[in-house]
Structures are given as C-alpha cells and as structure tokens.
C-alpha cells in the first residue's frame, strides 16, 4: 500500500492495512521472526502491539476440531491485477488492482494484496505445509477477510511463474509485473474451506479478521519453495496461537 492510497481510505482501513505490516516496512516499531524482537516479544515491543500478547482470538491456529456448519460458497470475482511485488523484509507481497472481490455473508470484500509465508502459519490436523499464501481483502468499512491457500511440494505452480521470475531478492526492493499476476490462479479447483475468527498474524495482531482457509492445498515445486525461502532469508511464520473459546466451522 502506498501512503497516497491509504489517505483515500477510511482511517480504520488505513490502520488495518498498515497494521498488516504487509507493505509498509519502516512503519511502527521494529519486529522480527526471531531474537529479541521475535513473536514471543511482539506484545511488549510497542503499546500498539499488545493484542499480540493479550488477544484471545489470534491467528495462526491449528485447525483440528471442526464444527459442521454447511458453509455457503464464497463468491469469487477476480481478474488478473497483481501489479507490484514488494519485498518488505517480512514477506513478499503482490499489490492488487482495485476491482477484484469476493462476496461473503452478503458483503463485498475487495482484494488488496496477496503474500506468502514459509513454512505455513496455520496448521491442519497438527500438520504444517511448506508454504501458505494469504489473500487479503477489506470491505467498505475496513473489515478484513483473508483467504489462506496451503502449498504442498509437487509439480511447479504456473500461477507463481510470473511473480517468482520477478521476485525481489532483498528488503526494500519492488518489482513491477509486466504481466499482471492472477489471484484466481492461486486457488484450488475445489474451494471448500474452513472458517474462523482471528487476527493479523503480524504486529499489531489486530483481531476481528475473518479467516477462510482453503481445505485443498495447491502444488509448488521444491525449487519454487526454496526460491521464496532464500529471498526471505528466514522462516516468516508466527507460532500457533491458542484456540481459546473459538470454533472452526466447515
Ligand atoms: Zn500473512
């Protein structure tokens, strides 16, 4: 997210998107995935990060026990729109053109960006995956909905070809994608999902985020996973958080 774009959004949305820590390296206190600024200390680094320590509905989780809720289909209305790819030190993020949306509970959420974690942040039945994509959406009031897609090692993933070829290798670098990346192509064919209420997985760990985790993983080659891991230079997954009173629906 560029600052100029933020200024046009509602304050809460601006806060959440900035807070997602997904684009704005240099915003807020320094945090990391290990050492004195690692996840176990996030809640103490900055007063704005206290939810990382005191929150009761944090992400990621291990999706083990589920309740059958006969969840409705998510309406996907995506077009190719990934235009800029940013290495922000915490992830590699592809910023998305306006106009791609999902519908959920009768609300429309716009796709803002997608980014990656290795290994996966969420687990399923106690199992981690080698990589996880987060497709971050916001509705008109700034409520966030994140679609998570798990990757397992296998054949090369063609949806990653363009962003992987252009992947910025160092923090602070941005690549412009001549061929717009497709979020649709990242999705599995079967879009059954798990749903739970959670948080940003990065400081300030803000809660009130709807999580939609695709049940079916997609494939990425060993080389593709290694390329992302090398560009990051370190794992970028927050440890699993307690479920507390939450229920995962399917
Ligand atoms: Zn993420």
């Amino acid at each position: 997210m560029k600052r100029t774009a933020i200024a046009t959004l509602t304050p809460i949305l601006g806060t959440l998107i900035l807070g997602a820590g997904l684009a704005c390296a240099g915003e807020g206190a320094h945090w990391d995935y290990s050492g004195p600024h690692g996840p176990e200390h996030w809640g103490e680094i900055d007063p704005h990060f206290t939810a990382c320590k005191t929150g009761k509905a944090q992400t990621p989780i291990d999706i083990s026990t589920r309740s059958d809720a006969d969840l409705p289909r998510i309406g996907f209305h995506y077009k190719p729109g990934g235009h800029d790819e940013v290495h922000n030190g915490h992830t590699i993020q592809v910023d998305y053109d306006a106009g791609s949306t999902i519908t959920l509970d009768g609300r429309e959420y716009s796709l803002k960006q997608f980014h990656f974690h290795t290994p996966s942040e969420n687990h399923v039945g106690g199992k981690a995956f080698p990589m996880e994509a987060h497709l971050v959406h916001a509705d008109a009031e700034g409520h966030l909905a994140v679609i998570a897609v798990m990757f397992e090692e296998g054949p090369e993933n063609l949806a990653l070809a363009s962003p992987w070829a252009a992947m910025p290798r160092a923090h602070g670098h941005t690549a412009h994608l001549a061929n717009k990346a497709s979020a649709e192509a990242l999705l599995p064919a079967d879009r059954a999902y798990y749903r739970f209420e959670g948080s940003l997985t990065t400081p300030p760990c803000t809660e009130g985020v709807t999580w939609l985790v695709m049940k079916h993983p997609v494939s990425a080659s060993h080389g593709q996973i290694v390329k992302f891991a090398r560009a990051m230079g370190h794992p970028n997954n927050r440890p699993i958080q307690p479920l507390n009173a939450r229920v995962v629906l399917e």
Side-chain angles (χ1 to χ4, degrees):
M1 265 300 177
K2 297 187 178 71
R3 301 285 295 179
T4 47
I6 288 289
T8 64
L9 298 169
T10 62
I12 183 170
L13 174 57
T15 303
L16 284 169
I17 298 281
L18 280 172
L22 303 169
C24 297
E27 293 288 339
H30 170 73
W31 58 270
D32 212 334
Y33 282 101
S34 61
H37 296 97
E40 63 273 32
H41 304 295
W42 287 351
E44 293 130 36
I45 291 172
D46 185 302
H48 297 107
F49 296 177
T50 49
C52 302
K53 185 170 63 176
T54 62
K56 293 285 182 273
Q58 293 286 296
T59 305
I61 61 166
D62 175 31
I63 297 169
S64 44
T65 311
R66 282 100 68 165
S67 284
D68 196 345
D70 199 15
L71 292 173
R73 287 165 181 261
I74 302 166
F76 287 95
H77 318 283
Y78 285 169
K79 30 193 181 194
H83 57 86
D84 278 301
E85 184 174 7
V86 183
H87 188 316
N88 65 21
H90 303 306
T91 190
I92 302 262
Q93 173 177 313
V94 175
D95 291 330
Y96 222 77
D97 288 339
S100 287
T101 62
I102 57 169
T103 45
L104 182 74
D105 306 335
R107 284 170 178 270
E108 189 171 72
Y109 293 81
S110 297
L111 178 60
K112 302 295 180 184
Q113 46 97 343
F114 60 80
H115 63 267
F116 300 87
H117 298 269
T118 185
S120 72
E121 297 208 291
N122 294 295
H123 294 183
V124 180
K127 177 177 174 250
F129 290 80
M131 193 165 77
E132 179 175 348
H134 290 159
L135 287 63
V136 181
H137 308 71
D139 75 3
E141 279 118 49
H143 303 112
L144 296 187
V146 180
I147 291 183
V149 180
M150 300 297 177
F151 291 78
E152 59 187 5
E153 194 175 309
E156 192 170 294
N157 188 318
L158 295 179
L160 299 178
S162 157
W164 254 234
M167 186 179 286
R169 281 158 199 262
H171 180 193
H173 288 232
T174 298
H176 183 70
L177 300 178
N179 294 318
K180 291 203 169 158
S182 167
E184 179 107 37
L186 288 173
L187 299 173
D190 181 336
R191 282 132 192 216
Y193 62 100
Y194 305 113
R195 176 174 178 161
F196 64 94
E197 292 303 309
S199 71
L200 303 178
T201 67
T202 54
C205 308
T206 313
E207 297 187 342
V209 179
T210 299
W211 280 85
L212 308 158
V213 177
M214 291 288 123
K215 285 187 178 182
H216 297 277
V218 298
S219 165
S221 69
H222 179 72
Q224 286 178 315
I225 294 164
V226 166
K227 181 167 186 176
F228 173 61
R230 286 200 179 133
M232 292 314 304
H234 55 80
N236 68 337
N237 65 307
R238 185 188 193 193
I240 293 294
Q241 302 296 303
L243 192 60
N244 295 321
R246 289 176 288 175
V247 174
V248 179
L249 304 178
E250 71 175 330

PDB file of all heavy atoms in Angstrom, residues 141-173:
ATOM      1  N   GLU A 141     -16.133  -0.929   5.037  1.00  0.00           N
ATOM      2  CA  GLU A 141     -15.940  -0.400   6.399  1.00  0.00           C
ATOM      3  C   GLU A 141     -14.583  -0.781   6.987  1.00  0.00           C
ATOM      4  O   GLU A 141     -14.307  -0.476   8.144  1.00  0.00           O
ATOM      5  CB  GLU A 141     -17.047  -0.914   7.315  1.00  0.00           C
ATOM      6  CG  GLU A 141     -18.334  -0.138   7.204  1.00  0.00           C
ATOM      7  CD  GLU A 141     -19.481  -1.010   6.729  1.00  0.00           C
ATOM      8  OE1 GLU A 141     -19.674  -2.108   7.279  1.00  0.00           O
ATOM      9  OE2 GLU A 141     -20.168  -0.611   5.770  1.00  0.00           O
ATOM     10  N   GLY A 142     -13.785  -1.480   6.231  1.00  0.00           N
ATOM     11  CA  GLY A 142     -12.451  -1.822   6.714  1.00  0.00           C
ATOM     12  C   GLY A 142     -12.350  -3.170   7.396  1.00  0.00           C
ATOM     13  O   GLY A 142     -11.299  -3.506   7.931  1.00  0.00           O
ATOM     14  N   HIS A 143     -13.436  -3.950   7.409  1.00  0.00           N
ATOM     15  CA  HIS A 143     -13.341  -5.307   7.955  1.00  0.00           C
ATOM     16  C   HIS A 143     -12.500  -6.157   7.013  1.00  0.00           C
ATOM     17  O   HIS A 143     -12.671  -6.082   5.795  1.00  0.00           O
ATOM     18  CB  HIS A 143     -14.727  -5.944   8.085  1.00  0.00           C
ATOM     19  CG  HIS A 143     -15.670  -5.139   8.921  1.00  0.00           C
ATOM     20  ND1 HIS A 143     -16.779  -4.511   8.392  1.00  0.00           N
ATOM     21  CD2 HIS A 143     -15.642  -4.844  10.236  1.00  0.00           C
ATOM     22  CE1 HIS A 143     -17.403  -3.869   9.365  1.00  0.00           C
ATOM     23  NE2 HIS A 143     -16.743  -4.045  10.499  1.00  0.00           N
ATOM     24  N   LEU A 144     -11.625  -6.964   7.604  1.00  0.00           N
ATOM     25  CA  LEU A 144     -10.719  -7.773   6.780  1.00  0.00           C
ATOM     26  C   LEU A 144     -11.188  -9.219   6.683  1.00  0.00           C
ATOM     27  O   LEU A 144     -11.704  -9.790   7.652  1.00  0.00           O
ATOM     28  CB  LEU A 144      -9.302  -7.757   7.365  1.00  0.00           C
ATOM     29  CG  LEU A 144      -8.574  -6.410   7.402  1.00  0.00           C
ATOM     30  CD1 LEU A 144      -7.133  -6.619   7.847  1.00  0.00           C
ATOM     31  CD2 LEU A 144      -8.601  -5.715   6.052  1.00  0.00           C
ATOM     32  N   ALA A 145     -10.997  -9.804   5.524  1.00  0.00           N
ATOM     33  CA  ALA A 145     -11.206 -11.243   5.297  1.00  0.00           C
ATOM     34  C   ALA A 145      -9.980 -11.755   4.555  1.00  0.00           C
ATOM     35  O   ALA A 145      -9.590 -11.183   3.530  1.00  0.00           O
ATOM     36  CB  ALA A 145     -12.471 -11.489   4.482  1.00  0.00           C
ATOM     37  N   VAL A 146      -9.363 -12.801   5.097  1.00  0.00           N
ATOM     38  CA  VAL A 146      -8.150 -13.348   4.486  1.00  0.00           C
ATOM     39  C   VAL A 146      -8.432 -14.770   4.004  1.00  0.00           C
ATOM     40  O   VAL A 146      -8.909 -15.604   4.781  1.00  0.00           O
ATOM     41  CB  VAL A 146      -6.970 -13.373   5.477  1.00  0.00           C
ATOM     42  CG1 VAL A 146      -5.715 -13.944   4.799  1.00  0.00           C
ATOM     43  CG2 VAL A 146      -6.687 -11.975   6.017  1.00  0.00           C
ATOM     44  N   ILE A 147      -8.150 -15.030   2.749  1.00  0.00           N
ATOM     45  CA  ILE A 147      -8.214 -16.394   2.219  1.00  0.00           C
ATOM     46  C   ILE A 147      -6.808 -16.973   2.270  1.00  0.00           C
ATOM     47  O   ILE A 147      -5.856 -16.356   1.765  1.00  0.00           O
ATOM     48  CB  ILE A 147      -8.766 -16.398   0.787  1.00  0.00           C
ATOM     49  CG1 ILE A 147     -10.250 -16.003   0.842  1.00  0.00           C
ATOM     50  CG2 ILE A 147      -8.564 -17.756   0.125  1.00  0.00           C
ATOM     51  CD1 ILE A 147     -10.945 -16.026  -0.469  1.00  0.00           C
ATOM     52  N   ALA A 148      -6.690 -18.123   2.922  1.00  0.00           N
ATOM     53  CA  ALA A 148      -5.391 -18.792   3.025  1.00  0.00           C
ATOM     54  C   ALA A 148      -5.382 -19.996   2.092  1.00  0.00           C
ATOM     55  O   ALA A 148      -6.347 -20.758   2.040  1.00  0.00           O
ATOM     56  CB  ALA A 148      -5.146 -19.242   4.463  1.00  0.00           C
ATOM     57  N   VAL A 149      -4.292 -20.136   1.355  1.00  0.00           N
ATOM     58  CA  VAL A 149      -4.111 -21.283   0.458  1.00  0.00           C
ATOM     59  C   VAL A 149      -2.810 -21.982   0.860  1.00  0.00           C
ATOM     60  O   VAL A 149      -1.752 -21.345   0.926  1.00  0.00           O
ATOM     61  CB  VAL A 149      -4.022 -20.850  -1.021  1.00  0.00           C
ATOM     62  CG1 VAL A 149      -3.838 -22.060  -1.937  1.00  0.00           C
ATOM     63  CG2 VAL A 149      -5.261 -20.054  -1.439  1.00  0.00           C
ATOM     64  N   MET A 150      -2.913 -23.281   1.140  1.00  0.00           N
ATOM     65  CA  MET A 150      -1.736 -24.070   1.508  1.00  0.00           C
ATOM     66  C   MET A 150      -1.070 -24.634   0.249  1.00  0.00           C
ATOM     67  O   MET A 150      -1.747 -25.029  -0.695  1.00  0.00           O
ATOM     68  CB  MET A 150      -2.140 -25.237   2.403  1.00  0.00           C
ATOM     69  CG  MET A 150      -2.802 -24.828   3.694  1.00  0.00           C
ATOM     70  SD  MET A 150      -1.676 -23.855   4.717  1.00  0.00           S
ATOM     71  CE  MET A 150      -2.767 -23.477   6.081  1.00  0.00           C
ATOM     72  N   PHE A 151       0.263 -24.703   0.299  1.00  0.00           N
ATOM     73  CA  PHE A 151       1.034 -25.311  -0.789  1.00  0.00           C
ATOM     74  C   PHE A 151       1.692 -26.572  -0.267  1.00  0.00           C
ATOM     75  O   PHE A 151       2.285 -26.565   0.810  1.00  0.00           O
ATOM     76  CB  PHE A 151       2.128 -24.358  -1.283  1.00  0.00           C
ATOM     77  CG  PHE A 151       1.606 -23.152  -2.008  1.00  0.00           C
ATOM     78  CD1 PHE A 151       1.085 -22.078  -1.303  1.00  0.00           C
ATOM     79  CD2 PHE A 151       1.630 -23.097  -3.389  1.00  0.00           C
ATOM     80  CE1 PHE A 151       0.589 -20.964  -1.966  1.00  0.00           C
ATOM     81  CE2 PHE A 151       1.146 -21.981  -4.072  1.00  0.00           C
ATOM     82  CZ  PHE A 151       0.612 -20.916  -3.349  1.00  0.00           C
ATOM     83  N   GLU A 152       1.605 -27.641  -1.062  1.00  0.00           N
ATOM     84  CA  GLU A 152       2.394 -28.833  -0.772  1.00  0.00           C
ATOM     85  C   GLU A 152       3.391 -29.002  -1.915  1.00  0.00           C
ATOM     86  O   GLU A 152       3.179 -28.503  -3.018  1.00  0.00           O
ATOM     87  CB  GLU A 152       1.500 -30.068  -0.601  1.00  0.00           C
ATOM     88  CG  GLU A 152       0.659 -30.394  -1.802  1.00  0.00           C
ATOM     89  CD  GLU A 152      -0.337 -31.521  -1.523  1.00  0.00           C
ATOM     90  OE1 GLU A 152      -0.421 -31.978  -0.369  1.00  0.00           O
ATOM     91  OE2 GLU A 152      -1.004 -31.925  -2.479  1.00  0.00           O
ATOM     92  N   GLU A 153       4.493 -29.695  -1.613  1.00  0.00           N
ATOM     93  CA  GLU A 153       5.535 -29.838  -2.630  1.00  0.00           C
ATOM     94  C   GLU A 153       5.117 -30.823  -3.694  1.00  0.00           C
ATOM     95  O   GLU A 153       4.611 -31.903  -3.386  1.00  0.00           O
ATOM     96  CB  GLU A 153       6.840 -30.287  -1.965  1.00  0.00           C
ATOM     97  CG  GLU A 153       8.032 -30.140  -2.881  1.00  0.00           C
ATOM     98  CD  GLU A 153       9.331 -30.483  -2.167  1.00  0.00           C
ATOM     99  OE1 GLU A 153       9.571 -29.940  -1.077  1.00  0.00           O
ATOM    100  OE2 GLU A 153      10.088 -31.296  -2.722  1.00  0.00           O
ATOM    101  N   GLY A 154       5.291 -30.436  -4.954  1.00  0.00           N
ATOM    102  CA  GLY A 154       4.893 -31.281  -6.080  1.00  0.00           C
ATOM    103  C   GLY A 154       5.260 -30.603  -7.377  1.00  0.00           C
ATOM    104  O   GLY A 154       6.310 -29.953  -7.457  1.00  0.00           O
ATOM    105  N   PRO A 155       4.393 -30.710  -8.379  1.00  0.00           N
ATOM    106  CA  PRO A 155       4.691 -30.065  -9.657  1.00  0.00           C
ATOM    107  C   PRO A 155       4.780 -28.547  -9.529  1.00  0.00           C
ATOM    108  O   PRO A 155       4.200 -27.959  -8.615  1.00  0.00           O
ATOM    109  CB  PRO A 155       3.501 -30.456 -10.546  1.00  0.00           C
ATOM    110  CG  PRO A 155       2.858 -31.622  -9.874  1.00  0.00           C
ATOM    111  CD  PRO A 155       3.155 -31.499  -8.413  1.00  0.00           C
ATOM    112  N   GLU A 156       5.490 -27.927 -10.442  1.00  0.00           N
ATOM    113  CA  GLU A 156       5.607 -26.476 -10.466  1.00  0.00           C
ATOM    114  C   GLU A 156       4.229 -25.825 -10.561  1.00  0.00           C
ATOM    115  O   GLU A 156       3.344 -26.351 -11.235  1.00  0.00           O
ATOM    116  CB  GLU A 156       6.465 -26.075 -11.673  1.00  0.00           C
ATOM    117  CG  GLU A 156       6.908 -24.646 -11.653  1.00  0.00           C
ATOM    118  CD  GLU A 156       7.953 -24.379 -12.734  1.00  0.00           C
ATOM    119  OE1 GLU A 156       9.059 -24.940 -12.625  1.00  0.00           O
ATOM    120  OE2 GLU A 156       7.641 -23.647 -13.678  1.00  0.00           O
ATOM    121  N   ASN A 157       4.061 -24.696  -9.891  1.00  0.00           N
ATOM    122  CA  ASN A 157       2.790 -23.972  -9.917  1.00  0.00           C
ATOM    123  C   ASN A 157       2.898 -22.827 -10.927  1.00  0.00           C
ATOM    124  O   ASN A 157       3.657 -21.878 -10.720  1.00  0.00           O
ATOM    125  CB  ASN A 157       2.483 -23.432  -8.515  1.00  0.00           C
ATOM    126  CG  ASN A 157       1.101 -22.848  -8.418  1.00  0.00           C
ATOM    127  OD1 ASN A 157       0.640 -22.141  -9.308  1.00  0.00           O
ATOM    128  ND2 ASN A 157       0.421 -23.148  -7.321  1.00  0.00           N
ATOM    129  N   LEU A 158       2.124 -22.907 -11.995  1.00  0.00           N
ATOM    130  CA  LEU A 158       2.234 -21.906 -13.065  1.00  0.00           C
ATOM    131  C   LEU A 158       1.767 -20.526 -12.602  1.00  0.00           C
ATOM    132  O   LEU A 158       2.218 -19.505 -13.122  1.00  0.00           O
ATOM    133  CB  LEU A 158       1.437 -22.350 -14.290  1.00  0.00           C
ATOM    134  CG  LEU A 158       1.966 -23.612 -14.975  1.00  0.00           C
ATOM    135  CD1 LEU A 158       1.094 -23.991 -16.165  1.00  0.00           C
ATOM    136  CD2 LEU A 158       3.422 -23.417 -15.419  1.00  0.00           C
ATOM    137  N   ALA A 159       0.859 -20.485 -11.616  1.00  0.00           N
ATOM    138  CA  ALA A 159       0.381 -19.184 -11.120  1.00  0.00           C
ATOM    139  C   ALA A 159       1.511 -18.393 -10.462  1.00  0.00           C
ATOM    140  O   ALA A 159       1.441 -17.170 -10.360  1.00  0.00           O
ATOM    141  CB  ALA A 159      -0.760 -19.381 -10.131  1.00  0.00           C
ATOM    142  N   LEU A 160       2.543 -19.102 -10.006  1.00  0.00           N
ATOM    143  CA  LEU A 160       3.675 -18.431  -9.355  1.00  0.00           C
ATOM    144  C   LEU A 160       4.742 -17.999 -10.359  1.00  0.00           C
ATOM    145  O   LEU A 160       5.673 -17.273  -9.992  1.00  0.00           O
ATOM    146  CB  LEU A 160       4.313 -19.361  -8.313  1.00  0.00           C
ATOM    147  CG  LEU A 160       3.421 -19.819  -7.151  1.00  0.00           C
ATOM    148  CD1 LEU A 160       4.204 -20.765  -6.241  1.00  0.00           C
ATOM    149  CD2 LEU A 160       2.899 -18.630  -6.359  1.00  0.00           C
ATOM    150  N   ALA A 161       4.616 -18.460 -11.605  1.00  0.00           N
ATOM    151  CA  ALA A 161       5.715 -18.256 -12.560  1.00  0.00           C
ATOM    152  C   ALA A 161       6.085 -16.774 -12.706  1.00  0.00           C
ATOM    153  O   ALA A 161       7.260 -16.404 -12.584  1.00  0.00           O
ATOM    154  CB  ALA A 161       5.348 -18.864 -13.912  1.00  0.00           C
ATOM    155  N   SER A 162       5.087 -15.924 -12.924  1.00  0.00           N
ATOM    156  CA  SER A 162       5.388 -14.508 -13.142  1.00  0.00           C
ATOM    157  C   SER A 162       5.924 -13.820 -11.880  1.00  0.00           C
ATOM    158  O   SER A 162       7.012 -13.226 -11.915  1.00  0.00           O
ATOM    159  CB  SER A 162       4.139 -13.806 -13.699  1.00  0.00           C
ATOM    160  OG  SER A 162       4.173 -12.437 -13.438  1.00  0.00           O
ATOM    161  N   PRO A 163       5.225 -13.917 -10.729  1.00  0.00           N
ATOM    162  CA  PRO A 163       5.799 -13.262  -9.535  1.00  0.00           C
ATOM    163  C   PRO A 163       7.129 -13.877  -9.093  1.00  0.00           C
ATOM    164  O   PRO A 163       7.990 -13.168  -8.568  1.00  0.00           O
ATOM    165  CB  PRO A 163       4.718 -13.426  -8.461  1.00  0.00           C
ATOM    166  CG  PRO A 163       3.724 -14.390  -8.980  1.00  0.00           C
ATOM    167  CD  PRO A 163       3.853 -14.408 -10.470  1.00  0.00           C
ATOM    168  N   TRP A 164       7.314 -15.173  -9.335  1.00  0.00           N
ATOM    169  CA  TRP A 164       8.574 -15.801  -8.912  1.00  0.00           C
ATOM    170  C   TRP A 164       9.731 -15.372  -9.813  1.00  0.00           C
ATOM    171  O   TRP A 164      10.855 -15.191  -9.363  1.00  0.00           O
ATOM    172  CB  TRP A 164       8.411 -17.321  -8.881  1.00  0.00           C
ATOM    173  CG  TRP A 164       8.307 -17.891  -7.493  1.00  0.00           C
ATOM    174  CD1 TRP A 164       9.082 -18.883  -6.968  1.00  0.00           C
ATOM    175  CD2 TRP A 164       7.389 -17.517  -6.449  1.00  0.00           C
ATOM    176  NE1 TRP A 164       8.699 -19.134  -5.659  1.00  0.00           N
ATOM    177  CE2 TRP A 164       7.679 -18.318  -5.323  1.00  0.00           C
ATOM    178  CE3 TRP A 164       6.360 -16.570  -6.343  1.00  0.00           C
ATOM    179  CZ2 TRP A 164       6.966 -18.200  -4.111  1.00  0.00           C
ATOM    180  CZ3 TRP A 164       5.661 -16.462  -5.152  1.00  0.00           C
ATOM    181  CH2 TRP A 164       5.964 -17.279  -4.065  1.00  0.00           C
ATOM    182  N   ALA A 165       9.455 -15.186 -11.107  1.00  0.00           N
ATOM    183  CA  ALA A 165      10.518 -14.746 -12.015  1.00  0.00           C
ATOM    184  C   ALA A 165      10.986 -13.340 -11.656  1.00  0.00           C
ATOM    185  O   ALA A 165      12.159 -13.009 -11.798  1.00  0.00           O
ATOM    186  CB  ALA A 165      10.017 -14.788 -13.461  1.00  0.00           C
ATOM    187  N   ALA A 166      10.037 -12.511 -11.155  1.00  0.00           N
ATOM    188  CA  ALA A 166      10.366 -11.109 -10.860  1.00  0.00           C
ATOM    189  C   ALA A 166      10.730 -10.889  -9.402  1.00  0.00           C
ATOM    190  O   ALA A 166      11.000  -9.762  -8.993  1.00  0.00           O
ATOM    191  CB  ALA A 166       9.157 -10.236 -11.218  1.00  0.00           C
ATOM    192  N   MET A 167      10.754 -11.954  -8.607  1.00  0.00           N
ATOM    193  CA  MET A 167      10.836 -11.817  -7.150  1.00  0.00           C
ATOM    194  C   MET A 167      11.993 -10.932  -6.682  1.00  0.00           C
ATOM    195  O   MET A 167      13.159 -11.210  -6.966  1.00  0.00           O
ATOM    196  CB  MET A 167      10.991 -13.203  -6.512  1.00  0.00           C
ATOM    197  CG  MET A 167      10.925 -13.160  -4.990  1.00  0.00           C
ATOM    198  SD  MET A 167      11.078 -14.817  -4.296  1.00  0.00           S
ATOM    199  CE  MET A 167       9.464 -15.493  -4.675  1.00  0.00           C
ATOM    200  N   PRO A 168      11.675  -9.850  -5.948  1.00  0.00           N
ATOM    201  CA  PRO A 168      12.752  -9.018  -5.394  1.00  0.00           C
ATOM    202  C   PRO A 168      13.525  -9.808  -4.343  1.00  0.00           C
ATOM    203  O   PRO A 168      12.925 -10.477  -3.521  1.00  0.00           O
ATOM    204  CB  PRO A 168      12.013  -7.835  -4.758  1.00  0.00           C
ATOM    205  CG  PRO A 168      10.563  -8.013  -5.037  1.00  0.00           C
ATOM    206  CD  PRO A 168      10.339  -9.387  -5.547  1.00  0.00           C
ATOM    207  N   ARG A 169      14.845  -9.729  -4.395  1.00  0.00           N
ATOM    208  CA  ARG A 169      15.662 -10.591  -3.535  1.00  0.00           C
ATOM    209  C   ARG A 169      16.068  -9.951  -2.227  1.00  0.00           C
ATOM    210  O   ARG A 169      16.643 -10.606  -1.364  1.00  0.00           O
ATOM    211  CB  ARG A 169      16.924 -11.012  -4.285  1.00  0.00           C
ATOM    212  CG  ARG A 169      16.636 -12.140  -5.251  1.00  0.00           C
ATOM    213  CD  ARG A 169      17.683 -12.199  -6.351  1.00  0.00           C
ATOM    214  NE  ARG A 169      17.146 -12.960  -7.474  1.00  0.00           N
ATOM    215  CZ  ARG A 169      17.402 -14.236  -7.691  1.00  0.00           C
ATOM    216  NH1 ARG A 169      18.160 -14.918  -6.872  1.00  0.00           N
ATOM    217  NH2 ARG A 169      16.884 -14.846  -8.735  1.00  0.00           N
ATOM    218  N   ALA A 170      15.800  -8.672  -2.073  1.00  0.00           N
ATOM    219  CA  ALA A 170      16.260  -8.012  -0.841  1.00  0.00           C
ATOM    220  C   ALA A 170      15.208  -7.041  -0.329  1.00  0.00           C
ATOM    221  O   ALA A 170      14.428  -6.467  -1.100  1.00  0.00           O
ATOM    222  CB  ALA A 170      17.574  -7.282  -1.094  1.00  0.00           C
ATOM    223  N   HIS A 171      15.204  -6.880   0.986  1.00  0.00           N
ATOM    224  CA  HIS A 171      14.296  -5.989   1.694  1.00  0.00           C
ATOM    225  C   HIS A 171      14.334  -4.592   1.092  1.00  0.00           C
ATOM    226  O   HIS A 171      15.404  -4.051   0.859  1.00  0.00           O
ATOM    227  CB  HIS A 171      14.756  -5.966   3.172  1.00  0.00           C
ATOM    228  CG  HIS A 171      13.946  -5.092   4.057  1.00  0.00           C
ATOM    229  ND1 HIS A 171      14.348  -4.753   5.321  1.00  0.00           N
ATOM    230  CD2 HIS A 171      12.754  -4.479   3.862  1.00  0.00           C
ATOM    231  CE1 HIS A 171      13.428  -3.980   5.882  1.00  0.00           C
ATOM    232  NE2 HIS A 171      12.457  -3.794   5.015  1.00  0.00           N
ATOM    233  N   GLY A 172      13.143  -4.057   0.828  1.00  0.00           N
ATOM    234  CA  GLY A 172      13.064  -2.689   0.301  1.00  0.00           C
ATOM    235  C   GLY A 172      12.971  -2.628  -1.209  1.00  0.00           C
ATOM    236  O   GLY A 172      12.729  -1.552  -1.760  1.00  0.00           O
ATOM    237  N   HIS A 173      13.148  -3.766  -1.861  1.00  0.00           N
ATOM    238  CA  HIS A 173      13.093  -3.773  -3.323  1.00  0.00           C
ATOM    239  C   HIS A 173      11.677  -4.067  -3.810  1.00  0.00           C
ATOM    240  O   HIS A 173      10.943  -4.830  -3.195  1.00  0.00           O
ATOM    241  CB  HIS A 173      14.055  -4.808  -3.894  1.00  0.00           C
ATOM    242  CG  HIS A 173      15.498  -4.411  -3.746  1.00  0.00           C
ATOM    243  ND1 HIS A 173      16.390  -4.406  -4.793  1.00  0.00           N
ATOM    244  CD2 HIS A 173      16.193  -3.970  -2.664  1.00  0.00           C
ATOM    245  CE1 HIS A 173      17.571  -3.990  -4.360  1.00  0.00           C
ATOM    246  NE2 HIS A 173      17.470  -3.733  -3.070  1.00  0.00           N
TER     247      HIS A 173
END
